């Protein structure tokens, strides 16, 4: 069964602007993107699972992101990446 990508974007105060900027780019490319204002990372993970998101991108600042993947064929995992690591549509 193929799962469509649904990304949830969240950030703390230092990453809010960059998260909104990147979310807009992904949204314009046709990806389903949800933005939330919650700043607590663990609450964001819980919200992403509730919303059946496949990805959570949590922006710590303008350069650092924690990306969690909740794809059906994986148990779920998180990895720290840089904004420059994102593949832009």
């Amino acid at each position: 069964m193929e799962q469509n990508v649904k990304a949830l974007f969240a950030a703390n105060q230092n990453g809010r602007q960059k998260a909104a900027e990147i979310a807009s780019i992904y949204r314009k490319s046709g990806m389903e993107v949800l933005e939330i204002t919650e700043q607590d990372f663990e609450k964001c993970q819980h919200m992403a699972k509730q919303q059946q998101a496949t990805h959570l991108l949590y922006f710590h600042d303008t350069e650092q992101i924690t990306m969690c993947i909740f794809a059906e064929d994986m148990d779920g995992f998180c990895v720290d990446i840089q904004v420059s690591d994102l593949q832009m549509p």
Side-chain angles (χ1 to χ4, degrees):
M1 182 166 131
E2 188 174 319
Q3 186 175 17
N4 292 329
V5 174
K6 179 179 180 181
L8 192 145
F9 281 66
N12 64 23
Q13 188 67 28
N14 297 328
R16 187 169 294 163
Q17 180 66 32
K18 184 55 85 172
E21 176 186 319
I22 302 294
S24 176
I25 293 169
Y26 277 83
R27 190 176 288 113
K28 286 177 184 175
S29 76
M31 182 183 291
E32 185 174 358
V33 173
L34 304 171
E35 293 180 79
I36 60 170
T37 58
E38 175 61 53
Q39 293 186 34
D40 181 87
F41 177 69
E42 290 181 10
K43 287 181 182 177
C44 291
Q45 285 181 297
H46 181 71
M47 292 171 76
K49 290 176 185 176
Q50 282 184 322
Q51 293 290 324
Q52 298 179 334
T54 57
H55 296 77
L56 166 64
L57 284 86
Y58 184 88
F59 289 72
H60 298 279
D61 55 33
T62 60
E63 295 296 324
Q64 299 177 12
I65 302 170
T66 297
M67 181 175 66
C68 299
I69 300 176
F70 308 108
E72 291 176 351
D73 59 343
M74 299 178 186
D75 290 332
F77 65 93
C78 296
V79 62
D80 291 328
I81 64 172
Q82 300 292 309
V83 169
S84 60
D85 293 329
L86 288 176
Q87 183 176 354
M88 299 303 235

